[in-house]
Amino acid sequence: MSAAATAEVTVQQRPIVHRTRGSTHGAITRLVSPGDLGEVLKPFIFLDRFEVAAGGEPPRFGMHPHSGIATLTYLMSGQTAYEDTTGEHGARGVLPNGGVEWMMAGGGVWHTGAPENTERVLGFQLWVAMPPELELAEAHSIYLGPEGVPHVGPVRVLLGAYEGKVSPIPAPSNMTYLGVHLKAGETWRFVPPAGHTVAWAAVGEGTLTVPATLRTGDLAVFDDAGGAITFEAQTDTAFVLGSGVQHPHELFMGPYSVHTSEAALHRGQAGIRERAQLLRQQGRM
């Protein structure tokens, strides 16, 4: 092989096969749903980007249920209040800038949250599909401040592992989810672990080249060949990247729920109804 051919192989970039800007309703842009790109990107089956200006009107969700999935919320800016029904007494508090909320819904859970609009709020909420052995497990939640999220240079390890750093949140399957913050002119190269054929990136703010240009609000899906991806920041940029082994199970969907079978979906929805009854008895609904 000639030197020129060798150089060409060395710099070859993993191509983008799909890109989207999703659909925006108020402060929330839905980039991935289980019924569309979620089928391609599973175990990453849902992704919302949310942004509320300082003093703006934050979205109000109220108490709502989930089963069969886990949600991971990552705050790039600002803070949000949260409440859930995990454990004996539930959890409530405020997730700070740079914090991570993990809620494994299992056989049924209710939760709510609201951005605090004293400053700009920016972040992503991801849904992760669970394997059969976890989709009906006991619900639990983990809340990490920024000091609890492992860092490697510009990378925050939100789920899985990267460069020897491991998230304190147990990954339900073979996946990596990273928050990346680059200054203008910086370059970062991601080499996926062996077997990771799913890869995507979504830009919270800023402009990247990969070498195609990705701007604030863009999501790009990379091909399934498993090659490296090089990102170059044209401006100060914050984005998230997901990489993983394809979830091998069919998705069975209900309102707020995703499971691996019809039977598991019915059990999850029954768990949601049971917890709703408890919430009413406690005056929380």
Side-chain angles (χ1 to χ4, degrees):
M1 181 181 289
S2 69
T6 302
E8 183 178 344
V9 170
T10 301
V11 301
Q12 186 175 6
Q13 173 73 319
R14 187 170 176 177
I16 293 171
V17 295
H18 184 83
R19 57 191 299 164
T20 182
R21 293 187 60 80
S23 58
T24 299
H25 302 280
I28 297 173
T29 298
R30 184 139 305 161
L31 294 164
V32 177
S33 293
D36 48 51
L37 276 180
E39 280 287 351
V40 177
L41 299 178
K42 60 185 183 182
F44 309 100
I45 57 173
F46 175 104
L47 186 71
D48 274 353
R49 176 188 179 274
F50 54 88
E51 181 177 9
V52 180
E57 182 62 30
R60 302 292 179 184
F61 303 105
M63 272 286 189
H64 60 279
H66 294 292
S67 69
I69 60 164
T71 66
L72 190 151
T73 302
Y74 173 49
L75 282 183
M76 293 175 162
S77 176
Q79 57 186 22
T80 67
Y82 64 81
E83 180 181 0
D84 70 45
T85 62
T86 60
E88 186 176 352
H89 302 293
R92 67 176 65 193
V94 175
L95 191 69
N97 183 359
V100 173
E101 173 196 19
W102 171 261
M103 194 190 66
M104 215 278 280
V109 72
W110 288 72
H111 77 151
T112 187
E116 299 196 346
N117 64 349
T118 54
E119 58 182 316
R120 175 176 177 250
V121 176
L122 173 66
F124 286 94
Q125 184 179 90
L126 172 73
W127 289 14
V128 178
M130 295 290 106
E133 63 270 21
L134 293 177
E135 65 182 317
L136 293 170
E138 186 71 24
H140 69 270
S141 56
I142 299 172
Y143 296 91
L144 301 175
E147 70 285 348
V149 181
H151 287 205
V152 183
V155 177
R156 279 78 164 165
V157 185
L158 309 178
L159 195 61
Y162 176 75
E163 296 290 326
K165 298 289 187 178
V166 180
S167 170
I169 299 169
S173 60
N174 189 348
M175 67 179 71
T176 300
Y177 184 46
L178 307 174
V180 186
H181 298 251
L182 298 177
K183 296 292 186 182
E186 288 185 337
T187 298
W188 175 70
R189 186 169 186 260
F190 174 71
V191 179
H196 281 209
T197 57
V198 174
W200 56 272
V203 183
E205 59 182 348
T207 303
L208 293 166
T209 53
V210 287
T213 300
L214 299 177
R215 297 181 173 85
T216 298
D218 283 344
L219 180 140
V221 179
F222 298 93
D223 78 359
D224 60 4
I229 309 167
T230 300
F231 299 86
E232 182 178 354
Q234 302 305 307
T235 65
D236 290 357
T237 305
F239 65 100
V240 290
L241 177 141
S243 174
V245 173
Q246 183 85 34
H247 181 71
H249 305 283
E250 188 176 351
L251 302 180
F252 289 80
M253 293 171 282
Y256 304 105
S257 301
V258 182
H259 286 270
T260 65
S261 69
E262 195 72 39
L265 176 60
H266 288 322
R267 289 177 62 188
Q269 291 180 321
I272 284 171
R273 290 191 293 271
E274 290 171 7
R275 284 157 183 80
Q277 186 174 0
L278 287 174
L279 286 173
R280 293 188 187 97
Q281 291 171 356
Q282 296 166 355
R284 296 169 66 188
M285 282 184 65

